[in-house]
């Protein structure tokens, strides 16, 4: 598909037609005001567009200036969309006007049809230059692709996308073929964690790297735009230096989403990349085309600068598809995997903030008709440091998390829709359904829980979606999830994946009202991986079996769906990128292919993976060395407290006798052992049995870390020589002792007799948290 952009004016008046008409790309507006640039759906509708994402408050006007070469009366056409039209929803949320030379044209736009179309805004008398403005009326995501000024009163813009794009190119005078760059050693497409890992790793091996990202910031799902925590264990397993590059730029946000987007530290990510002299970074550049030398070799990828309209063919010896959607591989003709059923969706999280002077929340008849109980009530943000405090040691994060976390509530990771829908061509509709769900939920909170939420304003809602699953590119090996469970170690094993096989499905409790398109998910953890050491994913999953010079890193690698549930998290994806950068150097230096690295140079790759991430070489032939100013990473102390290093008798949750369904977790740190468990299901219980060697008095301690959703009245019983005594503990608050230890008191136990500490969920008022029980002599 040809993608086109930008105008500046009648300088491109190449014919009598173009003298009569002027095409104005919305993304070319000199002053976008409060309108946001949306580049997610270029492959669907042909262009970036401006979005009035004010979350119910009209945004500032966008303004630009154009020149007409033929004075006269011009019809003003606007390509726009009534984004709730596909569902025949009442009303039109994205209403706006166009102004010309300060005069607002009468027609209210964004109200017609079910897809992108041209609306006639009115007429204007123009001579020479003219000022064009976009005047938002609602703040509810009005959108503009382009404005077309036509002096011909009989002219009507084409309705078909292909014809629209053909006219776009003609009126803007765009060249038939994009200019071409010099040849890069490695072209990395996609600026998330995987792309950053590949670009940085390749550059430190002396490669000349083109790093292309279609957004203004790096980080992908882990950026301020989407705000998903970067999960996955690094610096462990067979190659404990893998992950060191990732840890140089990874976020340490206290919440997901955060009170302040600054917690995701976009600035740090860009600074780390720009510090590499052999990386050319191209932000706001969307790759939409691939040029092949033959059926098996990519010659270049074509990128559109989404702000200037410039098109460039980026030539490369090797390419790495880090797009998440497998876009480069798809365009190149690589074999693709994509699930037909059970596919995960897209998330759009959100935050409300308490205000002394809250704004009036407008009516939203076009949103989903939700009531309290149709969705999970938003929870308060955790105090700074509860989630990732241990990760901050030795770092200078560069942000200041909100001190008033109690003034924020948020919609979490499970606000997700698009299950089993087209993850490519259906992206805009999936995102817009998420919008309808969130705005409907906020309306319900304001209407039915006004006493609690009347003082809250919408602070943030992700308009850039966070897809979890789409295309995967087939490599020389498709890793089955069962290999992780069995611990099958392949000869090319490399990146440790530590996340359990976590797949998302609609949560039944909230799916009844919209069974065809639910918007709340649940995580289903299937077979578990080795969280401490990680399961080493084979290198053969990181290159295409069909395209001889194509690597991939991220959630588009060659794995089956169950393995995807583990490998898709961001720190793990970043380590895939680190390996790709090293393998690309081998490919360039030894004139081989990604497959050739496996077949002939695997020992060299293993050696490189064994080296510190900060090591570099100054040329392709240069020796690796560790710079004197290399950033020192904190020592790995382990995420859990080693139970063997605690005094007395310690019974970990791994050794407890469990009844009912208990989920494992490791997000609340520190914890004893490899994980903790939690449950709220009726009838669930856990028995920690033990026996002392000598009769006497002993102190009983239990371990937990606090969380807002933990039990406020967790029933805990101690079975001693005196019988059973029950206590209630508030696990939403910190334990009274160090490292999460809390004393239940002193009890007498007889030698050799079975004793126990028992947790139950009945009447707990939240998730009961199991971590460990410790028995210490009283004296």
């Amino acid at each position: 598909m040809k993608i086109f952009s930008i105008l500046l004016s009648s300088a491109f008046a190449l014919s009598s037609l173009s003298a009569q008409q002027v095409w104005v790309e919305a993304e070319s507006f000199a002053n976008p005001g409060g309108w946001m640039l949306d580049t997610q759906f270029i492959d669907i509708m042909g262009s970036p567009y401006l979005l009035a994402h004010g979350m119910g408050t009209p945004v500032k006007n966008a303004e630009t200036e154009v020149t007409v070469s033929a004075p006269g009366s011009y019809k003003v056409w606007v390509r726009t969309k009534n984004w709730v039209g596909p569902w025949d929803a009442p009303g039109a949320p994205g209403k706006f006007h166009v102004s010309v030379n300060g005069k607002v044209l009468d027609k209210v736009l964004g109200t017609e049809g079910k897809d992108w179309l041209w609306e006639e805004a009115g007429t204007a008398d123009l001579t020479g230059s003219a000022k064009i403005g976009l005047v938002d009326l609602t703040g509810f995501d009005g959108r503009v692709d382009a404005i077309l000024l036509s002096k011909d009163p009989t002219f009507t813009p084409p309705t078909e996308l292909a014809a629209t794009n053909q006219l776009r190119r003609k009126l803007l005078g765009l060249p038939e073929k994009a200019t071409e760059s010099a040849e890069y050693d490695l072209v990395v497409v996609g600026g998330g964690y995987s792309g950053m890992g590949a670009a940085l790793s390749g550059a430190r091996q002396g490669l000349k790297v083109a790093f292309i990202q279609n957004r203004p910031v790096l980080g992908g799902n882990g950026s301020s735009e989407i705000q998903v925590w970067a999960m996955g264990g690094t610096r462990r397993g067979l190659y404990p230096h893998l992950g060191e590059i990732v840890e140089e730029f990874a976020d340490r946000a206290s919440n997901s989403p955060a009170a302040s987007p600054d917690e995701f530290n976009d600035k740090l990510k860009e600074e780390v990349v720009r510090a590499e002299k052999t990386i050319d970074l191209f932000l706001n550049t969307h790759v939409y085309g691939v040029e092949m030398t033959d059926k098996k070799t990519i010659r270049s990828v074509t990128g559109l600068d989404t702000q200037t309209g410039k098109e460039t063919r980026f030539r490369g010896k090797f390419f790495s598809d880090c797009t998440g959607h497998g876009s480069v591989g798809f365009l190149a003709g690589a074999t693709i995997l994509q699930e037909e059923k059970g596919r995960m969706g897209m998330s759009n999280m959100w935050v409300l903030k308490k205000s002394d002077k809250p704004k009036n929340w407008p009516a939203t008849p076009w949103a989903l008709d939700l009531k309290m109980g149709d969705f999970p009530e938003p929870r308060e943000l955790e105090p700074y440091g509860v989630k990732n405090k241990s990760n901050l040691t030795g770092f200078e994060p560069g942000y200041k998390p909100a001190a008033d976390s109690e003034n924020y509530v948020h919609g979490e990771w499970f606000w997700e829709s698009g299950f089993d829908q087209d993850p490519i061509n259906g992206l805009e509709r999936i995102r817009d359904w998420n919008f309808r769900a969130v705005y409907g939920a906020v309306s319900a909170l304001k209407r039915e829980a006004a006493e609690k939420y009347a003082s809250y304003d919408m602070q943030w809602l992700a308009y850039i979606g966070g897809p979890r699953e789409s295309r995967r590119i087939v490599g020389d090996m498709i890793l089955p999830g069962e290999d992780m469970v069995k611990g099958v170690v392949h000869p090319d094993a490399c990146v440790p994946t530590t996340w359990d096989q976590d797949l998302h499905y609609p949560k039944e409790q909230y799916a009844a009202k919209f069974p065809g398109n639910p918007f709340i998910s649940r995580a289903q953890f299937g077979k578990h991986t080795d969280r401490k050491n990680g399961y080493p994913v084979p290198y053969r999953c990181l290159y295409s079996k069909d395209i001889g010079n194509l690597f991939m890193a991220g959630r588009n690698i060659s794995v089956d769906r169950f393995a995807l549930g583990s490998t898709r998290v961001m720190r793990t994806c970043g380590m895939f990128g680190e390996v790709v950068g090293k393998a690309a150097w081998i490919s360039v230096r030894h004139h081989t292919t990604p497959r050739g690295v496996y077949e002939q140079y695997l020992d060299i790759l293993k050696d490189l993976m064994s080296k510190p991430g900060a090591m570099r070489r100054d040329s392709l032939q240069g020796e690796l060395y560790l710079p004197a100013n290399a950033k020192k990473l904190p020592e790995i102390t382990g995420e859990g407290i080693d139970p063997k290093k605690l005094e007395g008798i310690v019974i970990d949750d791994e050794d407890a006798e469990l009844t009912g369904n208990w989920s494992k977790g490791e997000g609340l740190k520190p914890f004893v052992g490899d994980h903790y468990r939690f449950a709220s299901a009726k009838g669930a219980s856990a028995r920690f049995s033990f026996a002392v060697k000598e009769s006497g008095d002993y102190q009983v301690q239990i371990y937990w870390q606090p969380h807002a959703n933990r039990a406020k009245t967790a029933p805990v019983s101690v079975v001693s020589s005196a019988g059973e005594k029950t206590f209630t503990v508030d696990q939403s608050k910190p334990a009274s002792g160090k490292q999460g230890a809390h004393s239940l008191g002193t009890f007498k136990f007889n030698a050799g007799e079975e004793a126990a500490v028992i947790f139950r969920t009945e009447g707990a008022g939240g998730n009961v948290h199991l971590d460990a029980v410790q028995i210490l002599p009283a004296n």
Side-chain angles (χ1 to χ4, degrees), residues 332-613:
T335 303
I336 298 295
L337 286 174
Q338 184 172 297
E339 302 300 325
E340 292 298 323
K341 293 293 183 182
R343 191 170 52 241
M344 293 180 281
M346 171 198 289
S347 69
N348 292 83
M349 296 183 290
W350 48 280
V351 177
L352 303 179
K353 182 182 180 182
K354 188 177 289 186
S355 173
D356 293 334
K357 296 180 180 179
K359 302 169 186 175
N360 290 326
W361 181 250
T364 58
W366 40 265
L368 297 190
D369 181 17
L370 300 181
K371 295 179 172 55
M372 300 295 291
D374 289 337
F375 56 92
E377 193 170 345
R379 68 174 180 86
E380 291 184 4
L381 295 184
E382 298 167 356
Y384 168 57
V386 169
K387 178 65 70 172
N388 283 329
K389 184 175 181 180
S390 62
N391 288 341
L392 293 172
T393 306
F395 286 88
E396 297 177 4
Y399 55 75
K400 294 182 179 179
D404 57 341
S405 59
E406 69 278 2
N407 291 330
Y408 297 84
V409 296
H410 62 180
E412 302 173 66
W413 58 267
F414 44 69
W415 285 82
E416 175 181 357
S417 72
F419 303 99
D420 293 345
Q421 297 185 30
D422 189 329
I424 306 298
N425 295 318
L427 273 179
E428 187 177 25
R429 183 166 174 161
I430 292 170
R431 193 277 309 272
D432 290 346
W433 180 265
N434 285 344
F435 278 175
R436 292 186 70 204
V438 172
Y439 290 136
V442 174
S443 293
L445 294 173
K446 295 283 189 179
R447 182 180 63 247
E448 299 180 28
E451 184 176 346
K452 183 175 181 179
Y453 293 104
S455 61
Y456 283 86
D457 287 328
M458 284 212 77
Q459 169 85 354
W460 177 79
L461 165 62
Y463 72 92
I464 304 296
R468 289 188 167 94
E469 181 178 358
S470 53
R471 303 186 190 111
R472 303 190 300 284
I473 302 169
V474 176
D476 275 349
M477 178 179 182
I478 301 173
L479 177 67
E482 194 63 27
D483 279 10
M484 295 181 180
V485 179
K486 294 179 179 177
V488 178
V489 178
H490 295 275
D492 53 338
C494 56
V495 171
T497 181
T498 58
W499 198 248
D500 285 339
Q501 293 179 15
D502 169 18
L503 298 173
H504 292 194
Y505 300 93
K507 190 166 186 176
E508 293 81 357
Q509 178 184 351
Y510 302 109
K513 197 165 188 177
F514 298 97
N517 202 348
F519 57 88
I520 299 295
S521 71
R522 61 176 174 83
Q524 180 170 307
F525 289 89
K527 301 296 180 64
H528 297 284
T529 57
D530 181 349
R531 291 194 173 194
K532 184 175 182 180
N533 299 302
Y535 172 81
V537 176
Y539 163 72
R540 282 169 292 165
C541 300
L542 306 184
Y543 61 87
S544 167
K545 75 178 184 67
D546 307 302
I547 310 302
N549 61 343
L550 179 62
F551 294 98
M552 57 270 192
R555 59 184 170 87
N556 59 1
I557 68 169
S558 184
V559 295
D560 76 5
R561 186 162 187 268
F562 298 100
L564 172 68
S566 174
T567 60
R568 65 183 175 83
V569 294
M570 284 175 287
R571 277 184 165 87
T572 304
C573 289
M575 289 187 287
F576 292 140
E578 292 184 29
V579 173
V580 162
K582 298 173 192 301
W585 174 79
I586 297 172
S587 299
V588 174
R589 180 69 178 83
H590 294 277
H591 306 286
T592 188
T593 64
R595 178 179 288 123
V597 172
Y598 170 71
E599 293 177 340
Q600 296 177 285
Y601 300 99
L602 188 58
D603 287 346
I604 296 178
L605 179 60
K606 290 180 177 180
D607 181 64
L608 291 179
M609 291 190 295
S610 301
K611 297 288 194 293

Side-chain angles (χ1 to χ4, degrees), residues 13-272:
L14 302 177
S15 65
S16 58
L17 172 64
S18 57
Q20 298 265 326
Q21 296 172 338
V22 177
W23 185 290
V24 185
E25 280 290 300
E27 61 268 24
S28 74
F29 268 52
N31 176 14
W35 294 67
M36 311 299 290
L37 179 63
D38 197 333
T39 62
Q40 299 171 93
F41 316 116
I42 295 175
D43 295 329
I44 302 172
M45 48 77 64
S47 174
Y49 61 79
L50 289 184
L51 182 75
H53 189 59
M55 298 169 288
T57 300
V59 304
K60 292 181 180 179
N61 296 351
E63 298 175 337
T64 198
E65 188 170 310
V66 301
T67 301
V68 296
S69 59
S73 179
Y74 283 77
K75 277 190 177 182
V76 180
W77 293 90
V78 181
R79 190 168 188 247
T80 184
K81 181 179 184 179
N82 174 17
W83 62 268
V84 299
W87 300 283
D88 295 319
K95 298 176 182 177
F96 64 96
H97 283 297
V98 168
S99 68
V100 181
N101 290 328
K103 179 183 177 181
V104 176
L105 303 184
D106 291 336
K107 176 69 179 295
V108 176
L109 303 166
T111 64
E112 300 177 7
K114 296 186 177 184
D115 204 345
W116 285 93
L117 50 72
W118 290 98
E119 290 192 48
E120 185 180 345
T123 60
D125 293 327
L126 304 178
T127 303
S129 63
K131 291 184 178 180
I132 307 294
L134 301 178
V135 183
D136 179 33
L137 298 177
T138 67
F140 282 125
D141 302 291
R143 51 202 72 179
V144 179
D145 169 25
I147 296 173
L148 179 57
L149 308 177
S150 177
K151 197 167 183 288
D152 180 359
T154 65
F155 172 80
T156 301
T159 56
E160 295 295 325
L161 177 60
T164 297
N165 283 336
Q166 184 178 9
L167 180 62
R168 190 193 309 257
R169 178 174 286 281
K170 184 172 185 177
L171 292 180
L172 298 181
L174 296 174
E176 285 300 316
K177 196 165 187 178
T179 58
E180 186 171 87
S181 74
E183 186 178 58
Y184 289 91
D185 295 314
L186 178 64
V187 177
V188 178
V189 183
Y193 272 58
S194 56
M196 292 187 70
L200 291 165
S201 176
R204 292 180 185 181
Q205 294 296 325
L207 300 180
K208 181 65 176 175
V209 178
F211 187 20
I212 306 171
Q213 161 73 327
N214 66 358
R215 298 297 308 156
V217 298
L218 297 170
N221 282 339
S223 70
S224 64
E225 295 182 319
I226 303 174
Q227 297 192 24
V228 178
W229 276 316
M231 302 302 290
T234 58
R235 301 190 292 159
R236 64 193 66 205
L238 298 176
Y239 305 101
H241 286 297
L242 289 180
E244 290 181 345
I245 292 177
V246 171
E247 293 302 341
E248 290 183 32
F249 61 77
D251 70 81
R252 271 94 190 161
S254 56
N255 284 276
S256 178
S260 169
D262 291 342
E263 291 193 38
F264 282 81
N265 216 344
D266 299 335
K267 181 180 178 182
L268 174 65
K269 294 178 173 66
E270 186 170 341
E271 287 175 346
V272 172

Side-chain angles (χ1 to χ4, degrees), residues 661-672:
N661 186 25
W662 292 85
S663 299
K664 290 182 180 180
E666 58 178 29
L668 303 181
K669 303 168 185 176
F671 47 80
V672 176

